[in-house]
Coordinates of all heavy atoms in Angstrom, one line a residue:
M109 N -54.8 -11.3 -5.7 CA -53.4 -10.9 -6.0 C -53.3 -9.4 -5.8 O -54.0 -8.6 -6.4 CB -53.0 -11.2 -7.4 CG -51.6 -11.0 -7.7 SD -51.2 -11.8 -9.2 CE -49.6 -11.1 -9.5
S110 N -52.5 -8.9 -4.9 CA -52.3 -7.5 -4.6 C -51.1 -7.0 -5.4 O -50.3 -7.7 -5.9 CB -52.1 -7.3 -3.1 OG -50.8 -7.9 -2.7
E111 N -51.1 -5.6 -5.5 CA -50.1 -5.0 -6.2 C -48.8 -5.0 -5.4 O -48.8 -4.9 -4.2 CB -50.5 -3.6 -6.6 CG -51.6 -3.5 -7.6 CD -51.7 -2.1 -8.2 OE1 -50.7 -1.4 -8.2 OE2 -52.8 -1.8 -8.6
P112 N -47.6 -5.0 -6.0 CA -46.4 -5.0 -5.3 C -46.1 -3.7 -4.6 O -46.5 -2.6 -5.1 CB -45.3 -5.4 -6.3 CG -45.9 -5.0 -7.6 CD -47.4 -5.2 -7.5
R113 N -45.5 -3.7 -3.4 CA -45.1 -2.5 -2.8 C -43.6 -2.4 -2.8 O -42.9 -3.3 -3.0 CB -45.6 -2.6 -1.3 CG -47.0 -2.7 -1.1 CD -47.4 -2.8 0.3 NE -46.6 -3.9 1.0 CZ -46.4 -3.9 2.3 NH1 -47.0 -3.1 3.1 NH2 -45.7 -4.9 2.8
L114 N -43.1 -1.2 -2.6 CA -41.7 -0.9 -2.7 C -41.0 -1.8 -1.6 O -39.9 -2.2 -1.7 CB -41.4 0.5 -2.5 CG -41.6 1.4 -3.7 CD1 -41.3 2.9 -3.4 CD2 -40.7 1.0 -4.8
Q115 N -41.7 -1.9 -0.4 CA -41.0 -2.7 0.6 C -40.9 -4.2 0.3 O -40.1 -4.9 0.8 CB -41.9 -2.6 1.9 CG -41.9 -1.2 2.5 CD -42.9 -0.3 1.8 OE1 -43.7 -0.7 1.0 NE2 -42.9 1.0 2.1
D116 N -41.7 -4.6 -0.7 CA -41.7 -6.1 -1.0 C -40.8 -6.4 -2.2 O -40.5 -7.6 -2.4 CB -43.1 -6.5 -1.4 CG -44.1 -6.4 -0.2 OD1 -43.6 -6.4 0.9 OD2 -45.3 -6.2 -0.5
I117 N -40.4 -5.4 -2.9 CA -39.5 -5.6 -4.1 C -38.1 -5.8 -3.6 O -37.5 -5.0 -2.9 CB -39.6 -4.4 -5.1 CG1 -41.0 -4.3 -5.6 CG2 -38.6 -4.6 -6.2 CD1 -41.2 -3.1 -6.5
G118 N -37.5 -7.0 -4.0 CA -36.2 -7.3 -3.6 C -35.1 -6.7 -4.5 O -35.4 -6.3 -5.6
D119 N -33.9 -6.6 -3.9 CA -32.8 -6.0 -4.7 C -32.4 -7.0 -5.8 O -32.4 -8.3 -5.5 CB -31.7 -5.7 -3.8 CG -30.6 -4.9 -4.5 OD1 -30.8 -4.4 -5.6 OD2 -29.5 -4.9 -4.0
Y120 N -32.0 -6.6 -6.9 CA -31.5 -7.5 -8.0 C -30.3 -8.3 -7.5 O -30.2 -9.5 -7.9 CB -31.2 -6.8 -9.3 CG -30.6 -7.6 -10.3 CD1 -31.4 -8.5 -11.0 CD2 -29.2 -7.7 -10.5 CE1 -30.9 -9.4 -12.0 CE2 -28.7 -8.6 -11.5 CZ -29.5 -9.4 -12.2 OH -29.0 -10.2 -13.1
N121 N -29.4 -7.8 -6.8 CA -28.3 -8.5 -6.3 C -28.6 -9.7 -5.5 O -27.8 -10.6 -5.4 CB -27.3 -7.5 -5.5 CG -26.8 -6.5 -6.5 OD1 -26.6 -6.7 -7.6 ND2 -26.5 -5.3 -5.9
T122 N -29.8 -9.7 -4.8 CA -30.2 -10.8 -4.0 C -31.0 -11.8 -4.8 O -31.4 -12.9 -4.2 CB -30.9 -10.3 -2.7 OG1 -32.1 -9.6 -3.2 CG2 -30.1 -9.4 -1.9
L123 N -31.4 -11.5 -6.0 CA -32.2 -12.5 -6.8 C -31.3 -13.7 -7.0 O -30.1 -13.7 -7.3 CB -32.6 -11.9 -8.1 CG -33.7 -10.8 -8.0 CD1 -34.0 -10.3 -9.4 CD2 -34.9 -11.3 -7.4
Q124 N -32.0 -14.9 -7.0 CA -31.3 -16.1 -7.3 C -32.2 -17.0 -8.1 O -33.4 -16.9 -8.1 CB -31.0 -16.8 -6.0 CG -30.0 -16.1 -5.1 CD -29.8 -16.8 -3.8 OE1 -30.5 -17.7 -3.5 NE2 -28.8 -16.3 -3.0
G125 N -31.6 -17.9 -8.8 CA -32.3 -19.0 -9.5 C -33.1 -18.5 -10.7 O -32.7 -17.7 -11.5
E126 N -34.4 -18.9 -10.6 CA -35.4 -18.7 -11.7 C -35.6 -17.2 -11.9 O -35.7 -16.7 -13.1 CB -36.7 -19.4 -11.4 CG -37.7 -19.3 -12.6 CD -37.2 -20.1 -13.8 OE1 -36.4 -21.0 -13.7 OE2 -37.8 -19.8 -14.9
K127 N -35.8 -16.4 -10.9 CA -36.1 -15.0 -11.0 C -35.0 -14.3 -11.7 O -35.2 -13.4 -12.6 CB -36.3 -14.4 -9.6 CG -37.6 -14.7 -9.0 CD -37.8 -14.0 -7.7 CE -39.1 -14.4 -7.0 NZ -39.3 -13.7 -5.8
K128 N -33.7 -14.6 -11.4 CA -32.6 -13.9 -12.1 C -32.5 -14.4 -13.5 O -32.2 -13.5 -14.4 CB -31.3 -14.3 -11.3 CG -30.1 -13.4 -11.6 CD -29.0 -13.6 -10.7 CE -28.1 -12.4 -10.6 NZ -27.2 -12.4 -9.5
R129 N -32.8 -15.6 -13.9 CA -32.9 -16.0 -15.3 C -34.0 -15.3 -16.0 O -33.8 -14.9 -17.2 CB -33.1 -17.5 -15.4 CG -31.8 -18.3 -15.1 CD -32.0 -19.7 -15.3 NE -32.6 -20.1 -14.0 CZ -32.6 -21.3 -13.4 NH1 -32.1 -22.3 -14.1 NH2 -33.1 -21.5 -12.3
I130 N -35.1 -15.0 -15.4 CA -36.2 -14.3 -16.1 C -35.8 -12.9 -16.4 O -36.0 -12.4 -17.4 CB -37.5 -14.4 -15.2 CG1 -38.0 -15.8 -15.2 CG2 -38.5 -13.3 -15.7 CD1 -39.2 -16.0 -14.3
V131 N -35.1 -12.2 -15.4 CA -34.6 -10.9 -15.6 C -33.6 -10.9 -16.8 O -33.7 -10.0 -17.7 CB -34.0 -10.3 -14.3 CG1 -33.2 -9.0 -14.6 CG2 -35.0 -10.1 -13.2
W132 N -32.7 -11.8 -16.8 CA -31.8 -11.8 -18.0 C -32.5 -12.2 -19.3 O -32.1 -11.6 -20.3 CB -30.7 -12.9 -17.7 CG -29.6 -12.3 -16.9 CD1 -29.3 -12.5 -15.6 CD2 -28.6 -11.3 -17.3 NE1 -28.2 -11.8 -15.2 CE2 -27.8 -11.0 -16.2 CE3 -28.4 -10.6 -18.5 CZ2 -26.7 -10.1 -16.2 CZ3 -27.4 -9.7 -18.5 CH2 -26.6 -9.4 -17.4
A133 N -33.5 -13.0 -19.3 CA -34.2 -13.3 -20.5 C -34.9 -12.1 -21.0 O -34.9 -11.9 -22.3 CB -35.2 -14.5 -20.2
V134 N -35.5 -11.3 -20.1 CA -36.2 -10.1 -20.6 C -35.2 -9.1 -21.2 O -35.4 -8.5 -22.2 CB -37.0 -9.4 -19.4 CG1 -37.4 -8.0 -19.8 CG2 -38.1 -10.3 -19.0
I135 N -34.0 -8.9 -20.6 CA -33.0 -8.0 -21.1 C -32.5 -8.5 -22.4 O -32.4 -7.7 -23.4 CB -31.8 -7.9 -20.1 CG1 -32.3 -7.2 -18.8 CG2 -30.6 -7.2 -20.7 CD1 -31.3 -7.2 -17.7
I136 N -32.2 -9.8 -22.6 CA -31.7 -10.3 -23.9 C -32.8 -10.2 -24.9 O -32.5 -9.9 -26.1 CB -31.2 -11.8 -23.7 CG1 -30.0 -11.7 -22.8 CG2 -31.0 -12.5 -25.0 CD1 -29.5 -13.1 -22.3
A137 N -34.1 -10.5 -24.6 CA -35.1 -10.4 -25.6 C -35.3 -9.0 -26.1 O -35.5 -8.7 -27.2 CB -36.5 -10.9 -24.9
G138 N -35.1 -8.0 -25.2 CA -35.2 -6.6 -25.6 C -34.0 -6.2 -26.5 O -34.3 -5.5 -27.5
L139 N -32.9 -6.7 -26.2 CA -31.7 -6.5 -27.1 C -31.9 -7.1 -28.5 O -31.6 -6.5 -29.5 CB -30.4 -7.0 -26.5 CG -30.0 -6.2 -25.3 CD1 -28.8 -6.8 -24.6 CD2 -29.6 -4.7 -25.7
I140 N -32.5 -8.3 -28.5 CA -32.7 -9.0 -29.8 C -33.8 -8.3 -30.6 O -33.6 -8.1 -31.8 CB -33.1 -10.5 -29.5 CG1 -31.9 -11.3 -29.0 CG2 -33.6 -11.2 -30.8 CD1 -32.2 -12.7 -28.5
I141 N -34.8 -7.9 -30.0 CA -35.9 -7.2 -30.7 C -35.4 -5.9 -31.2 O -35.7 -5.5 -32.4 CB -37.1 -7.0 -29.8 CG1 -37.8 -8.3 -29.5 CG2 -38.1 -6.0 -30.4 CD1 -38.9 -8.3 -28.5
G142 N -34.5 -5.2 -30.4 CA -33.9 -3.9 -30.9 C -33.0 -4.2 -32.1 O -33.0 -3.4 -33.1
A143 N -32.3 -5.2 -32.1 CA -31.4 -5.5 -33.2 C -32.2 -5.9 -34.4 O -31.8 -5.5 -35.5 CB -30.4 -6.7 -32.8
I144 N -33.2 -6.6 -34.3 CA -34.1 -7.0 -35.4 C -34.7 -5.7 -36.0 O -34.8 -5.5 -37.2 CB -35.2 -8.0 -35.0 CG1 -34.5 -9.3 -34.7 CG2 -36.2 -8.1 -36.1 CD1 -35.5 -10.3 -34.1
Y145 N -35.2 -4.8 -35.1 CA -35.7 -3.5 -35.6 C -34.7 -2.7 -36.4 O -35.0 -2.2 -37.5 CB -36.3 -2.7 -34.4 CG -36.6 -1.3 -34.8 CD1 -37.9 -1.1 -35.5 CD2 -35.9 -0.2 -34.6 CE1 -38.2 0.2 -35.8 CE2 -36.2 1.1 -34.9 CZ -37.4 1.3 -35.6 OH -37.8 2.5 -35.9
L146 N -33.5 -2.6 -35.9 CA -32.4 -1.8 -36.6 C -32.1 -2.4 -37.9 O -31.9 -1.7 -38.9 CB -31.2 -1.7 -35.7 CG -31.3 -0.8 -34.5 CD1 -30.0 -0.8 -33.7 CD2 -31.6 0.6 -35.0
A147 N -32.0 -3.7 -38.0 CA -31.7 -4.5 -39.2 C -32.8 -4.2 -40.2 O -32.6 -4.0 -41.4 CB -31.4 -5.9 -38.9
A148 N -34.1 -4.4 -39.8 CA -35.2 -4.2 -40.7 C -35.3 -2.7 -41.2 O -35.5 -2.5 -42.4 CB -36.5 -4.6 -40.0
R149 N -35.0 -1.8 -40.3 CA -35.1 -0.4 -40.7 C -33.9 -0.1 -41.7 O -34.2 0.6 -42.7 CB -34.9 0.5 -39.5 CG -35.1 1.9 -39.9 CD -35.2 2.8 -38.7 NE -35.3 4.2 -39.1 CZ -34.8 5.2 -38.5 NH1 -34.1 5.0 -37.4 NH2 -35.0 6.4 -38.9
A150 N -32.8 -0.6 -41.5 CA -31.7 -0.4 -42.4 C -31.9 -1.0 -43.8 O -31.5 -0.5 -44.8 CB -30.3 -0.9 -41.8
Y151 N -32.6 -2.2 -43.8 CA -32.8 -2.9 -45.0 C -34.0 -2.4 -45.8 O -34.0 -2.3 -47.0 CB -33.0 -4.4 -44.7 CG -33.2 -5.2 -46.0 CD1 -32.2 -5.6 -46.8 CD2 -34.5 -5.7 -46.3 CE1 -32.3 -6.3 -47.9 CE2 -34.7 -6.5 -47.4 CZ -33.6 -6.8 -48.2 OH -33.7 -7.6 -49.3
Y152 N -35.1 -2.0 -45.1 CA -36.4 -1.7 -45.8 C -36.6 -0.2 -46.1 O -37.4 0.2 -46.9 CB -37.5 -2.2 -45.0 CG -37.6 -3.8 -45.1 CD1 -37.4 -4.6 -44.1 CD2 -38.0 -4.4 -46.3 CE1 -37.5 -5.9 -44.1 CE2 -38.0 -5.7 -46.5 CZ -37.8 -6.5 -45.3 OH -37.8 -7.8 -45.4
V153 N -35.9 0.7 -45.3 CA -36.1 2.1 -45.6 C -35.2 2.5 -46.8 O -34.1 2.4 -46.8 CB -35.7 3.0 -44.3 CG1 -35.8 4.4 -44.6 CG2 -36.6 2.6 -43.2
P154 N -35.9 3.0 -47.8 CA -35.1 3.4 -49.0 C -34.2 4.6 -48.8 O -34.5 5.5 -48.1 CB -36.2 3.7 -50.1 CG -37.4 4.1 -49.2 CD -37.3 3.3 -47.9
D155 N -33.1 4.6 -49.5 CA -32.2 5.7 -49.4 C -32.6 6.9 -50.3 O -32.1 8.0 -50.2 CB -30.8 5.3 -49.9 CG -30.2 4.2 -48.9 OD1 -30.6 4.3 -47.7 OD2 -29.4 3.4 -49.3
D156 N -33.5 6.6 -51.3 CA -33.9 7.7 -52.2 C -35.3 8.3 -51.9 O -36.1 8.5 -52.8 CB -33.9 7.2 -53.7 CG -34.8 6.0 -53.8 OD1 -35.3 5.4 -52.8 OD2 -35.1 5.6 -55.0
M157 N -35.5 8.5 -50.6 CA -36.8 9.1 -50.2 C -36.9 10.5 -50.7 O -35.9 11.2 -50.7 CB -36.9 9.0 -48.6 CG -37.1 7.6 -48.1 SD -37.1 7.5 -46.3 CE -38.1 8.8 -45.8
I158 N -38.1 11.0 -51.0 CA -38.3 12.3 -51.4 C -38.4 13.2 -50.2 O -39.3 13.0 -49.4 CB -39.5 12.4 -52.3 CG1 -39.4 11.6 -53.6 CG2 -39.9 13.9 -52.6 CD1 -40.6 11.4 -54.3
P159 N -37.5 14.2 -50.0 CA -37.7 15.1 -48.9 C -38.9 16.0 -49.0 O -39.2 16.5 -50.1 CB -36.4 15.9 -48.9 CG -35.9 15.8 -50.3 CD -36.4 14.5 -50.9
V160 N -39.6 16.2 -47.9 CA -40.8 17.0 -47.8 C -40.5 18.1 -47.0 O -40.2 18.0 -45.8 CB -42.0 16.2 -47.3 CG1 -43.2 17.1 -47.2 CG2 -42.3 15.0 -48.1
N161 N -40.6 19.3 -47.5 CA -40.3 20.6 -46.8 C -41.6 21.2 -46.5 O -42.2 22.0 -47.3 CB -39.4 21.5 -47.6 CG -38.0 20.9 -47.8 OD1 -37.5 20.3 -46.9 ND2 -37.5 21.1 -49.0
D162 N -42.1 21.0 -45.3 CA -43.4 21.5 -44.9 C -43.2 22.9 -44.2 O -42.4 23.0 -43.2 CB -44.1 20.6 -43.9 CG -45.5 20.9 -43.6 OD1 -46.0 21.9 -44.2 OD2 -46.2 20.2 -42.8
P163 N -43.8 24.0 -44.7 CA -43.6 25.3 -44.2 C -44.1 25.4 -42.8 O -43.7 26.3 -42.0 CB -44.2 26.3 -45.1 CG -45.2 25.4 -45.8 CD -44.7 24.0 -45.9
I164 N -45.1 24.6 -42.4 CA -45.7 24.7 -41.1 C -44.9 23.8 -40.2 O -45.1 22.6 -40.2 CB -47.2 24.3 -41.1 CG1 -48.0 25.2 -42.1 CG2 -47.8 24.3 -39.7 CD1 -49.4 24.7 -42.3
T165 N -44.1 24.4 -39.3 CA -43.3 23.6 -38.4 C -43.9 23.6 -37.0 O -43.7 22.7 -36.2 CB -41.8 24.1 -38.4 OG1 -41.8 25.4 -38.1 CG2 -41.2 23.8 -39.7
K166 N -44.6 24.7 -36.6 CA -45.2 24.9 -35.4 C -46.6 25.4 -35.5 O -46.9 26.3 -36.4 CB -44.4 25.9 -34.4 CG -43.1 25.4 -34.0 CD -42.4 26.3 -33.1 CE -41.1 25.8 -32.6 NZ -40.4 26.7 -31.7
V167 N -47.5 24.8 -34.8 CA -48.9 25.2 -34.8 C -49.1 26.3 -33.7 O -48.7 26.1 -32.6 CB -49.8 24.1 -34.6 CG1 -51.3 24.5 -34.5 CG2 -49.7 23.0 -35.6
P168 N -49.6 27.5 -34.0 CA -49.7 28.5 -33.0 C -50.7 28.1 -32.0 O -51.7 27.4 -32.3 CB -50.2 29.7 -33.8 CG -50.8 29.2 -35.1 CD -50.0 27.9 -35.4
V169 N -50.5 28.6 -30.7 CA -51.4 28.2 -29.6 C -52.7 29.0 -29.8 O -52.7 30.2 -30.1 CB -50.7 28.6 -28.3 CG1 -51.7 28.3 -27.1 CG2 -49.4 27.9 -28.2
S170 N -53.8 28.4 -29.7 CA -55.1 29.0 -29.9 C -55.4 29.9 -28.7 O -55.0 29.7 -27.5 CB -56.2 28.0 -30.0 OG -56.3 27.2 -28.8
K171 N -56.1 31.0 -29.0 CA -56.5 32.0 -28.0 C -57.8 31.5 -27.4 O -58.6 30.9 -28.0 CB -56.6 33.4 -28.6 CG -55.3 33.9 -29.1 CD -55.5 35.3 -29.8 CE -54.2 35.7 -30.3 NZ -54.3 37.0 -30.9
N172 N -58.0 32.0 -26.1 CA -59.3 31.6 -25.5 C -60.4 32.4 -26.2 O -60.3 33.6 -26.3 CB -59.2 32.0 -24.0 CG -58.3 31.1 -23.2 OD1 -58.0 30.0 -23.7 ND2 -57.8 31.6 -22.1
I173 N -61.4 31.7 -26.5 CA -62.6 32.3 -27.2 C -63.7 32.4 -26.1 O -64.1 31.4 -25.5 CB -63.1 31.4 -28.4 CG1 -61.9 31.3 -29.4 CG2 -64.3 32.0 -29.0 CD1 -62.2 30.4 -30.5
K174 N -64.2 33.6 -26.0 CA -65.3 33.8 -25.0 C -66.6 34.1 -25.6 O -66.7 34.7 -26.7 CB -64.9 35.0 -24.0 CG -63.7 34.6 -23.2 CD -63.4 35.6 -22.2 CE -62.2 35.2 -21.3 NZ -61.9 36.2 -20.3

């Protein structure tokens, strides 16, 4: 099995039948997984989290050691 080439990839508008259904299934599955993630995050992340103020926001770039 060889890797697909750009010349071999068809345009979505010309897809028909099973291939078009697979594309739609992948899109819908992604939307469903995203919705489940958002619902779980809204339900399980507590509103009374303790804020952490870390004074180190950036790590300085190290100098070259010779």
Side-chain angles (χ1 to χ4, degrees):
M109 186 170 169
S110 64
E111 293 196 27
R113 299 179 309 161
L114 284 175
Q115 294 81 7
D116 298 335
I117 297 174
D119 187 18
Y120 174 76
N121 294 329
T122 61
L123 288 180
Q124 296 176 351
E126 186 68 21
K127 288 183 180 180
K128 198 165 203 169
R129 280 182 279 203
I130 290 173
V131 170
W132 276 108
V134 169
I135 291 170
I136 292 171
L139 291 173
I140 290 172
I141 291 171
I144 291 171
Y145 171 77
L146 287 176
R149 184 169 181 219
Y151 183 74
Y152 289 110
V153 174
D155 293 331
D156 59 346
M157 291 175 41
I158 299 172
V160 177
N161 297 322
D162 193 0
I164 301 174
T165 56
K166 293 184 179 179
V167 177
V169 179
S170 64
K171 296 180 181 178
N172 291 335
I173 300 174
K174 293 183 180 182

